[in-house]
Amino acid sequence: MINLKLANILIDIVEIKKSSPGDKKMLLSLTKAARTLRDAPESIEKIYSSGKLKGLTGMDEQAYKLIKEYLDTGGIGLYEELKSKYSENLIRLVRISGLGKKRMFKIYDTFNIKSLEDLKDKLVDNHRIAGVLEEGSSGENKAGESYTERLKQSIDYMESIRGMFPRWKVETYLNEIKNSLYKIKDIKRFLFVGSLRRKRSIVEDIDILIQPYFNNMSYDFERSKKLLGGIQSLNFIKRLLSSDIRKENISAKFETVFGIEVEFIISSARNWDVDMLYTTGSKKHIKKLEKIAQKKGYFKSGRINITGFPKNIREGTGNYLPADGNFYEKNIYSRLDLQYIPPELREDLGEIELAENFLVPSLLTMKDIKGDLHIHSRWSDGIISLDDMIERIKKFNYEYIAITDHSVNNYYGRGLDAKRVQ
């Protein structure tokens, strides 16, 4: 996650330094460089070591120096200096709250707030904080209280995603993991499960369900442990963090070079469908399914127990079986007299009640998206060329797009004036 971490550092510098008029050009450069880092499919360390860093979009001399400093020393002096006044969390909160940097930094300075804990303590005294937030809010009496409530919600949200990562960034590592697993001859099939399979916007770790060739109707614990040992030697694994041995499967969690933990669960042919269900989650969804399974007699040894497929359901053919064939789980939902619920909906938000009445809606797919009405070009702060846009429009079969570059009022978005628009 070094790309994302470094991109956040550059944006944090921008947020604090925006009040210094002399730094405008540098901050514009850092904003573009941060976006390039964020979206780069390859690790910035690899890009730097290959000598291609300077060729990236928006990578001028100032941005290059700061990134080089971070990669060479593990830190950026300018950022450390800024952090001595405001903690990383306080800087990040400016962006999350949407209350504007002037309001936020005024609160920090007025109440001498140095950390998120300081801010939470001060928020106990709502009226004083509200008074500062209310200034300049067009005289609305309740504005300060409304802003204070938003600030509390922003802190709650920030704490709820601590240690988590955006799914889109995590997915950039999946091909490397897949290619490594394909080379292990004992693996028959595998599937990315957990919050990744449920398409959550932020995820805590990567969960991978594996069925080896040797785990068919019986479970070979010794060979399964040996398989985990082989996985530990893969080049993206740093070290073993923990292991969990259960009656029906064993699993191990590893630290990785990607900065996110990966858990491997070794399953079997007999338990693949139920293991797929349980490892996908969510916990609340599974708990409700378990209650239904208990009533229908499909609950044994602390979990849903449904084995065997109806005649109209068949496994895939060939040596490498399809991992995510929905028929595995469809059998479970069918036995529970429920309509099949796609992984994306398994959050206990009413989907089980809909499934009981066979009213689960169809999910949107990329084919349903007809266009994009919010695209920035390189004329302002976008990072892809017009030719790239056209290629992607063709790929997605879009009917329309709208380029929505910034106006001259947004300096840091390289806003266009009338002359540049022409």
Side-chain angles (χ1 to χ4, degrees):
M1 295 296 167
I2 186 170
N3 291 32
L4 198 58
K5 183 176 182 181
L6 192 45
N8 277 329
I9 287 174
L10 295 186
I11 289 298
D12 287 348
I13 292 172
V14 170
E15 287 299 327
I16 296 179
K17 298 287 284 181
K18 274 182 180 178
S19 55
S20 308
D23 290 326
K24 277 189 170 184
K25 189 176 179 182
M26 180 190 80
L27 301 185
L28 183 58
S29 157
L30 296 189
T31 301
K32 285 199 76 173
R35 188 174 282 110
T36 297
L37 283 173
R38 182 196 68 189
D39 294 342
E42 196 173 15
S43 163
I44 195 64
E45 294 166 306
K46 288 184 181 178
I47 295 171
Y48 176 59
S49 62
S50 67
K52 297 177 181 177
L53 182 57
K54 284 187 176 180
L56 297 181
T57 303
M59 203 59 63
D60 67 6
E61 193 61 33
Q62 288 176 309
Y64 176 81
K65 280 182 179 177
L66 291 181
I67 293 169
K68 182 178 184 300
E69 181 185 353
Y70 183 86
L71 295 173
D72 289 345
T73 68
I76 295 175
L78 174 60
Y79 187 54
E80 297 305 317
E81 181 186 326
L82 296 173
K83 274 176 30 182
S84 65
K85 188 172 184 182
Y86 307 109
S87 74
E88 272 184 311
N89 283 334
L90 291 182
I91 298 168
R92 202 69 33 88
L93 189 61
V94 172
R95 292 155 57 193
I96 289 175
S97 71
L99 292 173
K101 63 182 185 301
K102 287 183 180 178
R103 282 196 184 99
M104 293 300 295
F105 286 129
K106 187 168 184 180
I107 291 172
Y108 299 162
D109 295 339
T110 301
F111 298 100
N112 194 30
I113 292 169
K114 301 293 184 186
S115 68
L116 201 60
E117 291 306 315
D118 282 350
L119 180 57
K120 286 164 69 177
D121 289 342
K122 295 293 189 298
L123 276 170
V124 174
D125 187 359
N126 276 0
H127 297 298
R128 291 186 67 201
I129 296 277
V132 174
L133 286 170
E134 199 172 85
E135 293 174 16
S137 59
S138 306
E140 295 180 22
N141 295 332
K142 294 291 182 182
E145 290 179 20
S146 172
Y147 292 147
T148 305
E149 191 56 38
R150 194 196 303 179
L151 189 52
K152 287 178 179 176
Q153 290 171 356
S154 300
I155 292 171
D156 288 343
Y157 172 73
M158 192 171 176
E159 293 187 326
S160 73
I161 62 170
R162 186 172 290 171
M164 301 182 83
F165 308 91
R167 189 189 80 241
W168 63 267
K169 193 62 186 173
V170 173
E171 287 179 340
T172 63
Y173 307 126
L174 300 190
N175 275 339
E176 187 171 340
I177 295 173
K178 284 180 186 177
N179 291 334
S180 296
L181 294 178
Y182 286 143
K183 294 174 185 175
I184 299 178
K185 63 180 182 179
D186 279 337
I187 294 179
K188 190 172 188 178
R189 55 183 165 180
F190 63 86
L191 176 67
F192 292 97
V193 287
S195 49
L196 272 178
R197 187 168 178 240
R198 300 200 317 276
K199 299 291 192 295
R200 295 284 294 173
S201 58
I202 51 173
V203 301
E204 189 172 1
D205 56 12
I206 298 172
D207 300 297
I208 306 175
L209 185 66
I210 291 174
Q211 186 209 327
Y213 281 100
F214 52 77
N215 281 350
N216 289 307
M217 297 317 291
S218 61
Y219 196 95
D220 192 325
F221 276 92
E222 290 308 312
R223 291 187 71 179
S224 295
K225 283 188 213 174
K226 190 175 178 182
L227 175 57
L228 283 174
I231 287 171
Q232 188 170 351
S233 66
L234 295 176
N235 59 7
F236 61 86
I237 300 292
K238 289 178 80 172
R239 66 187 179 94
L240 174 68
L241 294 173
S242 63
S243 58
D244 186 11
I245 299 177
R246 304 192 179 196
K247 185 178 179 182
E248 299 293 337
N249 62 51
I250 63 173
S251 64
K253 186 168 281 194
F254 299 94
E255 183 183 349
T256 71
V257 296
F258 308 125
I260 185 170
E261 294 174 1
V262 177
E263 182 171 11
F264 294 93
I265 306 103
I266 310 298
S267 181
S268 63
R270 184 178 65 178
N271 293 318
W272 180 260
D273 50 352
V274 177
D275 281 346
M276 189 194 302
L277 181 77
Y278 271 90
T279 55
T280 296
S282 67
K283 289 179 181 177
K284 289 182 177 179
H285 178 88
I286 298 298
K287 219 162 193 55
K288 274 198 174 177
L289 285 185
E290 286 180 337
K291 288 180 181 178
I292 295 171
Q294 282 176 322
K295 290 177 183 177
K296 295 185 179 296
Y298 289 116
F299 193 79
K300 185 180 177 182
S301 302
R303 69 189 227 146
I304 296 169
N305 185 41
I306 295 175
T307 56
F309 294 100
K311 289 182 180 179
N312 62 329
I313 294 178
R314 293 283 183 264
E315 271 199 354
T317 57
N319 289 332
Y320 201 87
L321 296 177
D324 198 15
N326 288 339
F327 49 76
Y328 297 109
E329 292 173 316
K330 279 182 177 177
N331 180 43
I332 297 173
Y333 285 95
S334 175
R335 298 285 185 91
L336 299 179
D337 296 323
L338 296 173
Q339 181 185 357
Y340 174 69
I341 301 173
E344 295 88 338
L345 299 181
R346 299 177 195 172
E347 301 293 344
D348 187 28
L349 296 174
E351 72 279 3
I352 290 178
E353 289 75 11
L354 287 173
E356 287 175 327
N357 294 291
F358 288 79
L359 294 173
V360 175
S362 299
L363 298 181
L364 290 173
T365 68
M366 279 301 294
K367 289 180 180 178
D368 296 307
I369 309 300
K370 302 301 181 187
D372 192 329
L373 295 175
H374 189 158
I375 299 175
H376 290 202
S377 77
R378 284 184 182 173
W379 292 315
S380 68
D381 61 344
I383 61 171
I384 66 171
S385 68
L386 194 59
D387 287 341
D388 288 336
M389 283 187 202
I390 292 168
E391 284 305 310
R392 295 187 193 195
I393 291 162
K394 289 177 180 176
K395 176 184 174 183
F396 296 135
N397 199 28
Y398 281 174
E399 295 176 6
Y400 52 84
I401 65 162
I403 295 177
T404 54
D405 285 331
H406 292 295
S407 73
V408 70
N409 290 330
N410 189 331
Y411 176 85
Y412 296 104
R414 286 189 72 230
L416 282 72
D417 57 18
K419 185 178 179 182
R420 287 185 62 218
V421 169
Q422 290 294 329

